[in-house]
């Protein structure tokens, strides 16, 4: 039932796309940001960090307007061009580990989001939704698509493979050694075929970008209410997405770091854990769990394995059986006193794509007291929780692929 539509993207010119494309602003260190802003006048970071031009930090609505100004300047200078024909954009990423991701950049329906044809599995924070909604309303564009996933489909897969035999519109390699390719799909008959395939899918799922999709939905509601001539065809009725088949989605875990033991000694903490876990000291050698409901722990210079006791915990819902939720229900909340996983400053997260040594280093530095690891959530768990209308704890999944900002832009 999902409506997946072509759109007219704003894109960098072929000769500048590698210079424009950027990671999410927050993923750069200050030194990395400064280097790109100082030496690359075409970086998309100049748009999202407009205060650089005035050598000062600018926030709030003033920043939003300046972001729009920088964006319009890029268009005026022909760094960006606006496509004339609604298209699907076939996108391929080959990462440094030779993992390949193939998908379609397209517009998804805000109404489908409202009706739950596009399913969610993660909670969002209301004030963040509204802040980003106000940002979108002022700047008038979105440059980072929401990642959606759908059941593998032979028809769509065949179309993608056939188009990829042609020369790509874009081909560039990042400093992370990921290679990105983009093809324009303008053929109306093929577009209609793909649309029909998506319409036959009862649901698709948000993999990454819950706040972006929620903010786009709020923008749709606002604009619809304020437009007496609303037709349903306006650009605010959709939001930009990157759709990939479930088999190509890569899900990593997030490790948990906690600053203290909530007033407990090491021995008192271990005794409380023993009530619900079978504990084994693994010594100084790095250890990662290999099964569901098994956890790793690093504490006071040593690794431990924690095996959930089968008689000590009941699985009443699909969420109860999720490892990040088990960790919260059995350790983080009752023993370490962390109730608000989003806002408690005592907890932090490291994505599981990084080595377990990163957890060890954070504990050994003294900044944190204990760290926990687990195996990744799988796609079926994620879908089951979404289908049940439940929400995972924050930072339950670190999902790939990650697209670059500024390669395709959706204007409202």
């Amino acid at each position: 039932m999902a409506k997946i539509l072509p759109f007219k993207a704003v894109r960098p010119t072929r000769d500048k796309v590698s210079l424009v494309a950027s990671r999410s602003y927050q993923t750069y260190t200050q030194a990395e940001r400064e280097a790109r802003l100082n030496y690359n006048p075409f970086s998309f970071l100049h748009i999202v960090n407009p205060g650089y031009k005035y050598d000062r930090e600018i926030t709030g609505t003033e920043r939003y307007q300046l972001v729009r100004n920088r964006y319009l300047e890029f268009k005026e200078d022909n760094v960006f061009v606006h496509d004339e024909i609604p298209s699907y954009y076939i996108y391929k990423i080959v990462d440094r580990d030779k993992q390949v991701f193939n998908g379609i950049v397209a517009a998804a329906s805000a109404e489908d989001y409202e009706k739950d044809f596009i399913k969610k599995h993660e909670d969002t924070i209301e004030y963040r939704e509204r802040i980003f909604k106000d940002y979108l309303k002022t700047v008038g564009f979105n440059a980072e698509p929401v990642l959606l996933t759908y059941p593998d489909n032979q028809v769509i897969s065949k179309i993608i493979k056939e188009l990829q035999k042609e020369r790509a519109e874009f081909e560039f390699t990042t400093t992370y050694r990921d290679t990105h390719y983009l093809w324009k799909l303008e053929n109306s008959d093929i577009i209609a075929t793909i649309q029909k395939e998506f319409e036959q899918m009862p649901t698709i799922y948000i993999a990454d970008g819950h706040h972006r999709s929620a903010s786009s939905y709020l923008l749709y509601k606002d604009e619809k209410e304020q437009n007496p001539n609303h037709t349903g065809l306006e650009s605010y009725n959709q939001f930009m997405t990157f759709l990939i088949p479930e088999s190509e989605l890569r899900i990593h875990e997030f490790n948990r770091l906690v600053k203290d033991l909530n007033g407990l000694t090491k021995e008192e903490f271990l005794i409380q854990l023993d009530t619900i876990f079978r504990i084994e000291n693994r010594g100084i050698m790095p250890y990662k769990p290999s099964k569901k409901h098994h956890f790793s722990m690093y504490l006071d210079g040593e690794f431990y394995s924690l095996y959930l006791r089968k008689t000590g915990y009941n699985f009443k819902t699909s969420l109860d059986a999720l490892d990040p939720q088990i960790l919260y229900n059995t350790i983080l909340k009752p023993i370490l006193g962390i109730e608000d996983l989003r806002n408690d400053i005592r907890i932090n997260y490291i994505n599981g794509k990084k080595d377990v040594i990163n957890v060890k280093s954070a504990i050994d530095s003294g900044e944190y007291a204990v760290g926990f690891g687990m195996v990744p959530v799988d796609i079926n768990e994620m879908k089951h929780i979404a289908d049940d209308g439940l929400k995972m704890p924050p930072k339950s999944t670190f999902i790939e692929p990650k697209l670059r900002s500024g390669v395709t832009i959706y204007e409202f």
Side-chain angles (χ1 to χ4, degrees):
M1 302 291 289
K3 295 187 288 291
I4 303 300
L5 305 173
F7 71 102
K8 300 176 184 178
V10 175
R11 299 182 293 115
T13 55
R14 186 197 294 266
D15 62 317
K16 294 185 177 65
V17 62
S18 62
L19 298 170
V20 171
S22 74
R23 303 198 312 269
S24 175
Y25 182 81
Q26 294 82 2
T27 64
Y28 292 98
T29 66
Q30 183 176 345
E32 287 175 326
R33 281 196 297 268
E34 289 178 354
R36 282 159 175 77
L37 290 166
N38 286 334
Y39 301 112
N40 180 4
F42 301 110
S43 173
F44 194 76
L45 294 178
H46 283 282
I47 293 176
V48 295
N49 185 33
Y52 172 81
K53 184 174 181 178
Y54 302 103
D55 195 27
R56 70 184 182 92
E57 189 75 21
I58 300 174
T59 59
T61 54
E62 183 183 18
R63 172 179 171 265
Y64 302 167
Q65 187 57 55
L66 289 176
V67 167
R68 177 153 184 80
N69 293 347
R70 295 293 86 74
Y71 172 67
L72 293 176
E73 288 170 5
F74 269 51
K75 291 185 72 175
E76 291 162 3
D77 293 340
N78 295 317
V79 177
F80 287 138
V81 293
H82 203 155
D83 286 336
E84 297 180 355
I85 300 173
S87 305
Y88 285 141
Y89 299 89
I90 306 304
Y91 206 101
K92 176 181 177 180
I93 303 172
V94 182
D95 72 14
R96 62 191 301 169
D97 300 319
K98 304 306 178 185
Q99 177 65 53
V100 180
F101 305 96
N102 296 284
I104 303 173
V105 178
S109 165
E111 186 178 24
D112 284 352
Y113 178 93
E114 181 178 52
K115 292 180 177 179
D116 213 30
F117 295 149
I118 298 174
K119 288 188 175 287
K120 312 91 181 165
H121 67 262
E122 184 176 293
D123 264 334
T124 53
I125 302 172
E126 185 176 355
Y127 82 86
R128 285 184 59 191
E129 294 175 9
R130 297 197 174 278
I131 286 174
F132 193 58
K133 182 263 292 183
D134 293 341
Y135 170 84
L136 292 175
K137 194 166 189 173
T138 301
V139 303
F141 69 87
N142 189 7
E144 188 175 357
V146 173
L147 183 63
L148 301 181
T149 188
Y150 60 91
D152 286 44
N153 181 287
Q154 290 185 356
V155 173
I156 296 175
S157 178
K158 184 178 180 180
I159 291 171
I160 289 174
K161 287 179 181 177
E162 284 299 314
L163 185 63
Q164 288 177 345
K165 293 177 181 178
E166 302 176 9
R167 182 193 181 194
E169 182 81 8
F170 290 159
E171 178 181 349
F172 65 96
T173 300
T174 71
T175 53
Y176 265 31
R177 291 182 289 174
D178 300 335
T179 302
H180 296 242
Y181 305 83
L182 179 143
W183 295 261
K184 286 176 64 178
L185 175 52
E186 299 174 324
N187 184 291
S188 59
D189 292 335
I190 299 176
I191 286 173
T193 299
I194 293 176
Q195 282 186 261
K196 184 178 178 181
E197 292 299 315
F198 279 118
E199 286 171 358
Q200 293 173 352
M201 298 176 189
T203 55
I204 55 179
Y205 296 83
I206 298 175
D208 192 23
H210 283 78
H211 281 93
R212 275 172 278 141
S213 53
S215 300
S216 296
Y217 170 66
L218 291 179
L219 178 67
Y220 154 76
K221 284 181 63 179
D222 277 6
E223 296 295 325
K224 180 180 177 181
E225 291 170 1
Q226 295 169 14
N227 183 0
N229 300 313
H230 173 82
T231 65
L233 301 176
E234 298 85 358
S235 58
Y236 59 73
N237 289 278
Q238 291 88 38
F239 57 98
M240 185 169 64
T241 63
F242 179 46
L243 300 107
I244 71 167
E246 292 174 2
S247 63
E248 295 191 18
L249 197 68
R250 291 294 172 265
I251 307 177
H252 304 276
E253 75 279 12
F254 267 103
N255 299 306
R256 271 70 170 140
L257 302 173
V258 182
K259 288 185 177 292
D260 58 68
L261 299 182
N262 198 28
L264 300 172
T265 65
K266 172 184 172 181
E267 290 72 22
E268 290 170 339
F269 178 57
L270 289 172
I271 288 171
Q272 290 205 30
L273 288 182
D274 194 75
T275 302
I276 200 162
F277 292 97
R278 181 162 58 86
I279 306 171
E280 292 185 16
N281 188 320
R282 300 281 179 162
I284 63 173
M285 295 301 295
Y287 170 77
K288 293 188 70 174
S290 59
K291 297 180 180 179
K292 295 289 183 185
H293 314 330
H294 294 181
F295 301 87
S296 63
M297 180 175 72
Y298 185 70
L299 173 68
D300 194 25
E302 295 179 309
F303 287 91
Y304 296 81
S305 57
L306 307 179
Y307 299 91
L308 185 68
R309 296 186 187 277
K310 296 179 181 179
T311 57
Y313 188 86
N314 295 320
F315 299 146
K316 296 179 181 179
T317 68
S318 56
L319 182 60
D320 290 335
L322 191 76
D323 283 348
Q325 186 69 22
I326 291 172
L327 191 69
Y328 174 71
N329 287 342
T330 59
I331 301 177
L332 298 180
K333 181 179 179 181
I335 299 177
L336 295 179
I338 296 174
E339 297 200 17
D340 185 349
L341 291 172
R342 292 192 178 276
N343 299 307
D344 196 315
I345 61 173
R346 295 172 56 228
I347 189 167
N348 205 350
Y349 306 88
I350 295 180
N351 77 69
K353 194 175 182 182
K354 296 182 178 178
D355 196 274
V356 68
I357 296 302
N358 287 273
V359 175
K360 180 181 185 299
S361 298
I363 308 299
D364 290 345
S365 72
E367 186 178 0
Y368 298 94
V370 62
F372 301 96
M374 65 201 83
V375 299
V377 172
D378 66 42
I379 184 66
N380 290 322
E381 287 181 296
M382 190 179 81
K383 289 170 61 177
H384 196 176
I385 286 171
D387 291 342
D388 290 345
L390 302 171
K391 299 293 187 292
M392 294 183 185
K395 300 294 185 182
S396 289
T397 57
F398 178 81
I399 293 180
E400 293 182 306
K402 303 289 186 187
L403 266 69
R404 295 280 163 144
S405 296
V407 179
T408 57
I409 296 173
Y410 184 87
E411 288 192 347
F412 299 107

